[in-house]
Amino acid sequence: MFRSRSKSLWSLASLLALLSSFSLVAVGAAPPLRAPQAVTVYAAVSLSDALREIGDAARGERDLDVTYQFGASNDLARQIAAGAPADLFLSANREQIERLEASGQIAKGKAFPFLGNALVVIVPVASRTGKIGGAKDLLRFDRLALADPRGVPLGVYAQAWLQRKKVWRDLETKVLPTLDARAAVGAVAAGNAPVGIVYATDAAASRNVRIAYRIPLGETPDVRYWAAPLTDNAAPFVAFLRGPSARKIFERYGFFALGASRPSGPNRFGR
């Protein structure tokens, strides 16, 4: 009887050991959970609304964890030149890309244009100003909100248009320079300037301004956004930016693919 009980206990212990070993094998065989790949993007502030939505889409579709730093492209370029830890730079003009190519932060031939925008003249939504039909009509205003034309791409584009129309000299002293593109919209929305020149997409994002004049495409420099990978870590997000999901989001916000005709008529808010 003692021998029988001992044998039973030994069999039970063996069974438990066997089950335990199977459990360890099963746990060991399970693949470890992989964290989303982190990507740090320095981007022009005019892209911010669209890029936040694109970042969410990239996380769901490509398992990417995208972190953004938004600002004026010239200021972001200075930060990158000083060693800011960016994987990808999305600039609102080519000039800032060339700057970083010259300093060695961007390898020549790696940057590419990927998106277009348009310029518009805006006034406060409740403004009773008369019709604006071109650059000369801006001469009747005492202030003009512009992103700082000494470096911010939007201001550089706007100044080029005003110079082409031969009104820059008369308007230069009336310019209210702002830190970036969104701040130019804010200055008009707050009533600090009665009129401003901004990106069409930024005008669409504010319910406190209205578009008084759409500047014809052929009268301005090409408003192009450039993408410049700074590290190999940027590759998956760059591929996503060039894909159909990102393109649909950009178009919904009013941007357009290069080579496409510029959108005309009401923006996405119907104004």
Side-chain angles (χ1 to χ4, degrees):
M1 182 175 178
F2 176 77
R3 182 180 299 176
S4 176
R5 178 181 289 181
S6 297
K7 187 174 181 179
S8 298
L9 290 174
W10 183 87
S11 299
L12 179 60
S14 299
L15 178 61
L16 290 173
L18 184 61
L19 290 173
S20 177
S21 66
F22 280 142
S23 176
L24 289 173
V25 169
V27 171
L33 293 175
R34 188 182 66 178
Q37 180 175 337
V39 183
T40 300
V41 179
Y42 277 46
V45 69
S46 52
L47 296 169
S48 58
D49 294 339
L51 282 179
R52 287 189 182 99
E53 187 172 336
I54 287 170
D56 291 339
R59 187 178 185 96
E61 295 182 30
R62 299 289 180 87
D63 203 23
L64 298 176
D65 183 11
V66 186
T67 300
Y68 295 111
Q69 177 69 37
F70 294 114
S73 297
N74 58 316
D75 186 48
L76 296 175
R78 279 195 295 269
Q79 294 178 43
I80 292 169
D87 296 309
L88 177 65
F89 179 36
L90 302 179
S91 173
N93 70 356
R94 171 69 179 159
E95 182 182 349
Q96 307 309 320
I97 300 296
E98 291 174 344
R99 212 173 128 186
L100 293 174
E101 286 177 339
S103 64
Q105 267 91 359
I106 297 174
K108 289 189 176 181
K110 292 291 187 181
F112 60 93
F114 74 104
L115 206 60
N117 207 337
L119 300 186
V120 297
V121 176
I122 59 169
V123 295
V125 69
S127 173
R128 295 180 178 274
T129 188
K131 180 180 178 181
I132 297 176
K136 288 185 179 180
D137 288 334
L138 300 178
L139 295 172
R140 69 176 188 256
F141 296 96
D142 62 346
R143 289 186 306 284
L144 171 67
L146 284 185
D148 194 341
R150 292 172 298 179
V152 182
L154 170 60
V156 174
Y157 290 133
Q159 180 180 340
W161 175 59
L162 296 171
Q163 287 174 328
R164 181 174 181 175
K165 292 298 181 179
K166 304 187 186 305
V167 296
W168 174 249
R169 288 187 179 180
D170 295 320
L171 287 171
E172 186 175 6
T173 58
K174 300 180 179 182
V175 168
L176 175 64
T178 65
L179 181 64
D180 56 39
R182 287 290 173 86
V185 177
V188 176
N192 296 325
V195 68
I197 301 174
V198 302
Y199 292 125
T201 51
D202 284 335
S206 173
R207 295 188 178 276
N208 298 312
V209 301
R210 61 179 175 86
I211 295 174
Y213 179 67
R214 295 180 181 274
I215 301 173
L217 178 62
E219 295 184 3
T220 68
D222 286 339
V223 180
R224 294 186 171 193
Y225 293 85
W226 287 72
L230 300 165
T231 71
D232 292 340
N233 205 44
F237 189 59
V238 168
F240 190 78
L241 281 179
R242 296 176 114 162
S245 295
R247 175 171 290 192
K248 287 178 182 177
I249 293 171
F250 278 131
E251 288 178 349
R252 181 152 40 79
Y253 280 87
F255 298 95
F256 55 94
L258 295 178
S261 59
R262 183 168 68 171
S264 60
N267 58 45
R268 67 190 178 98
F269 292 114
R271 297 194 305 280

